[in-house]
Amino acid sequence: MMETKKSITEVGVDDIIKAGLSVEEEAKEFYRILKETIGEAKGLDPREVWRKVVDNRVLKPWHPHGVHQLVYYSVYSHWDSSTKGPPLYWFPSLHESRRANLGRVMEIHGPKLLGTEYKDPIKSFSLFQKFSVEHPEAYWSIVLKELSVVFHEPPKCILDTTDKSKPGGTWLPGSVLNIAECCLQPASHPSKKEDDVAIVWRDEMDESVLHHLKLKEFREQVMLVANALDTTFTKGDAIAIDMPMTVNAVIIYLAIVLAGFVVVSIADSFAAKEIATRLRVSNAKGIFTQDFILRGGRKFPLYSRVVEANSCKAIVIPVIGNDVGLQLRNQDQTWIDFLSSVNHLPRPNYYSPVYQPVDSLTNILFSSGTTGDPKAIGWTHLSPIRCSHDGWAHVDIQEGDVYCWPTNLGWVMGPILLYSTFLCGATLALFHGSPLSRGFGKFVQDAGVTVLGTVPSIVKAWKSTNCMEGLDWTKLKSFCSTGEASNVDDDLWLSSRAYYKPIIECCGGTELASSYIQGCPLQPQAFGAFSTASMTTGFVILDENGVSYPDDMPCVGEVGLSPLLMGASDRLLNADHDKVYFKGMPMYKGMQLRRHGDIIKRTVGGYFVVQGRADDTMNLGGIKTSSVEIERVCDRAEESIMETAAISVAPVDGGPELLVIFVVLKKGFDGEPDKLKMKFSKAIQNNLNPLFKVSFVKIVPEFPRTASNKLLRRVLRDQMKHELSVRSKI
């Protein structure tokens, strides 16, 4: 990260040349425009100076990143975050705020709901967020009409809290629907017509072609697959998907839900052991997969991993052409043979949806716990309503938007992306290939993507390789980021690609089907920070004794969530839900708080920054995993090892967490950290996930432990944080 002690008024032509505008005439012209803009903002505080710079488009997406750094860090060179809160980079206008989904609804309903306290969507946002927490029935009755949610039988009410055995209440009781059908049918509000483009996509190997699938064709393809599922499986069966997030994967996902089956989500990066665990826990009766994964012209095996994992029926889709590129087992079936099973039907492209009570299971997703086996979390028809609401309210997904987010149906972001797009009336943009390539960036440009989701690791790679140079991303109205902590300088680079559009930070959980803290287009935004609790979400920050800090006080502590969250889990397939999320949590205003596990900091000015996990779950490259899982693999990596302890720490300047392995060696053995690092990385990538990498190995004589012999990973984490802090100052 570039650091500058010069204030913006002290920056000269030489600084601009040094920052990357190497042609002197160009640097002089930039300096002239910059000085003119600063003159307009004379005497204003740095936030207003930066706002002027952005509004006047002084900085262009094609300017070298060094120039963007020079201006941003110079504007905020004497900014004291400890007294003023984080520096802000994006500010909503009143005009834009009234056109946002949430702002439009506030303008219509705000005066009635908030009375004379209502001013406008920007000034009254915090008040309206608080209202949504205290009056969820009133809020949801408005918002449900804004989404493409159609009930076969309407709910008796919004929320029933009479059953005290359900701390999260009963949401939309008595309602019956099929949430997949809601994604596929035309609608008047939000407007979805039969010939609207539902999905736009491109194959990595053919950068000249954009494919479009219209809503009518999309629905017919989903219904064809739903009919084929009925010929192969029994109602209620769990059916896995383990493949990249392609058009076919999306069609299969919605077909499984439409036909009353249950999706089992498995990421395509998992090793065979991890696939086997998820198939076993979910009791899956079948799995959709591909023969290979294609990345950068190279083929990587996928079907062979599925075969190694389990003997359940696999339906195999070829990555290229119509023929699978390998021999299948007897019980398995090619995609073409599977689809041909409905040829005898008079209307194979028509399917009558299976309508279910709103709390029926539709999807089993997995989130790593601290006990080894991943937690199997059940999504119902409620969960998509919740997550698409977040897309509607916070990301501001509107009809006509083109929404792209490189992810996978094995991670919670896959279903969130799918439902948020279709229930808000937008177009889903899919790239069949690596998101790290320039080809992906060209797809974003050519497809006219308006909202681009990312994880910080991807942004870091784009910035470091400079692979997006020369592409036009100015159609983007916003970015989103989730999965891990964002780095301020990487976010500066990303936002600058589209004239400093906002990056909506999202932090939540698979079990919440949503975010509990987010950015919002009705509030100023700060890089790497969250500006608000999400709509209808109440939470407190707890001190070490479980006592909540006052709501307006800057502090650091564990999050305690209000239990009344529509769409949040009320069951786990393989663990005690109450024990995992409620046991031991304090009471607050007569309700037992729900555990999430994050440690967060509330800044001056009311912004939030995630500080890590309260338990020993870690976040590596946007993937949550447990210390226990990693330690099991590392303990077996080398005969000299007595035991290992895995922790993760954030770099001093922010960004994705680093994996650190502490090692105690057996007596009489010596070890070299670099050699162990290579062995651990190989073992983890082969047995857990090829995306994980070890950053440091530390050999120690013994581990710190409690009186009852429990390993104190927190102490090791603090030691490593201190060491990294010292290194950064050298």
Side-chain angles (χ1 to χ4, degrees):
M1 184 189 295
M2 176 178 178
E3 300 235 351
T4 177
K5 293 299 175 196
K6 280 188 177 180
S7 73
I8 192 66
T9 53
E10 297 167 327
V11 168
V13 174
D14 286 350
D15 298 306
I16 294 163
I17 291 171
K18 207 181 291 181
L21 276 186
S22 51
V23 178
E24 190 173 347
E25 288 308 309
E26 198 180 343
K28 282 180 177 175
E29 177 61 11
F30 180 86
Y31 176 75
R32 184 189 67 75
I33 295 167
L34 181 64
K35 284 294 170 188
E36 206 173 90
T37 304
I38 294 164
E40 290 173 21
K42 200 169 184 182
L44 296 176
D45 89 9
R47 288 170 292 201
E48 291 304 317
V49 175
W50 177 253
R51 187 175 190 161
K52 279 277 185 198
V53 167
V54 171
D55 286 350
N56 291 0
R57 295 197 164 185
V58 174
L59 290 161
K60 313 292 186 193
W62 55 86
H63 282 151
H65 183 54
V67 176
H68 290 270
Q69 289 176 311
L70 175 68
V71 176
Y72 176 77
Y73 294 121
S74 298
V75 166
Y76 284 112
S77 61
H78 301 301
W79 186 262
D80 183 358
S81 295
S82 65
T83 59
K84 297 179 178 178
L88 305 175
Y89 73 94
W90 183 82
F91 306 85
S93 72
L94 198 52
H95 172 68
E96 284 172 335
S97 74
R98 285 175 171 146
R99 291 173 60 189
N101 288 326
L102 196 57
R104 176 175 49 78
V105 160
M106 285 175 69
E107 287 284 85
I108 296 167
H109 300 279
K112 186 176 71 178
L113 298 175
L114 302 178
T116 55
E117 288 187 272
Y118 182 76
K119 303 295 184 246
D120 63 55
I122 297 173
K123 289 188 182 125
S124 305
F125 169 76
S126 294
L127 202 60
F128 194 61
Q129 194 282 333
K130 191 178 177 189
F131 175 88
S132 76
V133 176
E134 294 172 352
H135 305 280
E137 297 93 338
Y139 178 80
W140 281 109
S141 63
I142 293 166
V143 171
L144 283 171
K145 297 184 182 108
E146 296 290 325
L147 303 170
S148 293
V149 176
V150 179
F151 294 101
H152 191 63
E153 291 177 26
K156 295 186 178 79
C157 61
I158 298 289
L159 173 62
D160 180 355
T161 56
T162 54
D163 185 349
K164 297 306 173 190
S165 70
K166 292 185 173 180
T170 303
W171 291 90
L172 309 181
S175 63
V176 173
L177 78 162
N178 186 296
I179 200 66
E181 182 194 31
C182 299
C183 294
L184 298 167
Q185 294 298 342
S188 56
H189 184 72
S191 174
K192 284 196 296 184
K193 302 183 195 71
E194 292 282 48
D195 61 351
D196 283 351
V197 175
I199 305 178
V200 56
W201 82 96
R202 173 176 283 167
D203 290 313
E204 185 179 58
M205 301 308 289
D206 191 353
E207 285 191 9
S208 62
V209 180
L210 275 179
H211 302 272
H212 299 87
L213 188 63
K214 293 184 176 176
L215 182 62
K216 184 173 185 288
E217 302 166 77
F218 179 41
R219 182 174 64 252
E220 288 176 349
Q221 290 192 31
V222 170
M223 288 184 167
L224 179 75
V225 174
N227 276 313
L229 288 167
D230 277 353
T231 68
T232 312
F233 298 101
T234 305
K235 282 288 178 244
D237 278 354
I239 304 166
I241 300 175
D242 183 2
M243 58 189 289
M245 193 160 172
T246 61
V247 176
N248 280 330
V250 172
I251 288 167
I252 292 162
Y253 183 100
L254 287 176
I256 292 171
V257 177
L258 190 74
F261 300 99
V262 179
V263 178
V264 179
S265 292
I266 301 177
D268 62 357
S269 60
F270 278 136
K273 280 184 185 175
E274 293 294 299
I275 298 169
T277 299
R278 284 152 178 78
L279 293 173
R280 169 178 56 79
V281 169
S282 64
N283 192 26
K285 303 301 182 190
I287 182 168
F288 285 88
T289 189
Q290 282 182 183
D291 49 1
F292 299 97
I293 295 171
L294 204 59
R295 286 286 184 272
R298 292 177 61 202
K299 281 183 177 180
F300 298 91
L302 182 55
Y303 172 70
S304 60
R305 273 188 273 145
V306 169
V307 169
E308 188 185 337
N310 194 277
S311 59
C312 74
K313 181 184 182 72
I315 294 152
V316 186
I317 298 156
V319 70
I320 300 173
N322 294 321
D323 299 321
V324 294
L326 34 69
Q327 183 70 40
L328 302 188
R329 299 174 301 183
N330 290 338
Q331 72 265 38
D332 298 336
Q333 202 173 16
T334 66
W335 177 237
I336 285 182
D337 286 347
F338 170 74
L339 295 179
S340 67
S341 65
V342 298
N343 287 348
H344 65 284
L345 296 178
R347 296 173 68 196
N349 288 333
Y350 175 77
Y351 189 88
S352 184
V354 174
Y355 296 109
Q356 297 176 315
V358 74
D359 61 351
S360 302
L361 201 61
T362 62
N363 192 179
I364 299 166
L365 295 117
F366 295 88
S367 179
S368 289
T370 53
T371 54
D373 258 6
K375 296 193 295 285
I377 295 163
W379 267 31
T380 67
H381 293 274
L382 271 173
S383 315
I385 297 174
R386 173 71 215 199
C387 70
S388 60
H389 154 269
D390 281 12
W392 175 88
H394 290 268
V395 185
D396 196 39
I397 303 295
Q398 301 189 7
E399 55 195 60
D401 274 327
V402 180
Y403 195 9
C404 180
W405 198 319
T407 184
N408 188 270
L409 289 168
W411 308 121
V412 70
M413 202 52 239
I416 287 176
L417 172 66
L418 184 157
Y419 285 120
S420 298
T421 303
F422 298 134
L423 295 180
C424 292
T427 296
L428 177 63
L430 298 173
F431 182 69
H432 297 178
S434 169
L436 301 178
S437 67
R438 181 178 176 81
F440 173 80
K442 190 170 184 302
F443 168 69
V444 169
Q445 169 189 281
D446 296 350
V449 171
T450 58
V451 182
L452 176 60
T454 64
V455 294
S457 303
I458 290 178
V459 178
K460 192 174 282 296
W462 290 341
K463 179 182 149 209
S464 64
T465 60
N466 208 25
C467 64
M468 302 305 174
E469 184 73 24
L471 294 174
D472 182 356
W473 282 8
T474 54
K475 282 185 182 171
L476 285 161
K477 69 175 192 181
S478 64
F479 299 91
C480 307
S481 182
T482 194
E484 53 192 339
S486 289
N487 175 282
V488 169
D489 197 62
D490 293 345
D491 275 0
L492 177 74
W493 176 88
L494 181 66
S495 182
S496 74
R497 299 303 90 193
Y499 286 110
Y500 289 98
K501 294 300 192 300
I503 302 169
I504 303 298
E505 296 278 350
C506 312
C507 180
T510 305
E511 76 285 358
L512 300 178
S514 66
S515 297
Y516 71 93
I517 47 175
Q518 276 186 291
C520 179
L522 305 183
Q523 294 175 296
Q525 297 300 304
F527 288 127
F530 307 84
S531 58
T532 180
S534 61
M535 296 301 291
T536 77
T537 301
F539 73 82
V540 292
I541 300 176
L542 304 167
D543 67 16
E544 289 181 353
N545 300 312
V547 178
S548 63
Y549 290 102
D551 283 346
D552 55 354
M553 180 181 175
C555 57
V556 177
E558 183 176 350
V559 170
L561 297 174
S562 161
L564 297 176
L565 291 167
M566 181 196 276
S569 65
D570 61 3
R571 71 199 90 170
L572 291 170
L573 273 67
N574 61 343
D576 183 333
H577 189 272
D578 185 68
K579 186 178 175 184
V580 171
Y581 295 115
F582 288 97
K583 192 175 180 184
M585 288 298 284
M587 301 293 288
Y588 180 75
K589 292 187 177 178
M591 293 186 293
Q592 187 171 26
L593 293 171
R594 180 177 176 128
R595 180 179 292 107
H596 181 67
D598 281 349
I599 302 288
I600 67 170
K601 173 184 180 180
R602 180 164 48 223
T603 72
V604 172
Y607 288 78
F608 301 98
V609 180
V610 177
Q611 303 280 288
R613 298 287 297 169
D615 56 20
D616 290 313
T617 302
M618 57 182 81
N619 186 328
L620 302 175
I623 300 166
K624 284 181 183 172
T625 190
S626 72
S627 299
V628 175
E629 284 179 303
I630 289 176
E631 288 158 7
R632 280 179 183 165
V633 171
C634 291
D635 285 349
R636 301 194 304 267
E638 163 73 57
E639 65 168 351
S640 65
I641 293 165
M642 188 165 83
E643 60 179 338
T644 60
I647 60 145
S648 64
V649 288
V652 175
D653 64 346
E657 293 176 23
L658 306 173
L659 175 58
V660 183
I661 310 292
F662 284 82
V663 185
V664 176
L665 297 172
K666 292 174 184 170
K667 271 190 179 173
F669 281 89
D670 291 320
E672 291 179 36
D674 284 346
K675 283 186 179 175
L676 286 173
K677 180 177 161 183
M678 286 171 62
K679 287 192 174 180
F680 289 155
S681 290
K682 190 174 179 182
I684 290 166
Q685 287 162 3
N686 287 342
N687 291 283
L688 286 178
N689 196 307
L691 304 178
F692 294 170
K693 68 175 183 181
V694 179
S695 295
F696 300 101
V697 169
K698 308 289 291 181
I699 298 172
V700 294
E702 61 181 7
F703 293 151
R705 295 186 179 277
T706 64
S708 59
N709 209 38
K710 282 185 182 170
L711 178 59
L712 285 167
R713 293 187 187 85
R714 174 175 44 81
V715 174
L716 296 174
R717 199 176 291 119
D718 289 344
Q719 286 174 12
M720 199 64 210
K721 278 183 186 172
H722 176 70
E723 185 176 322
L724 289 177
S725 173
V726 170
R727 282 189 195 188
S728 72
K729 290 169 185 169
I730 294 172

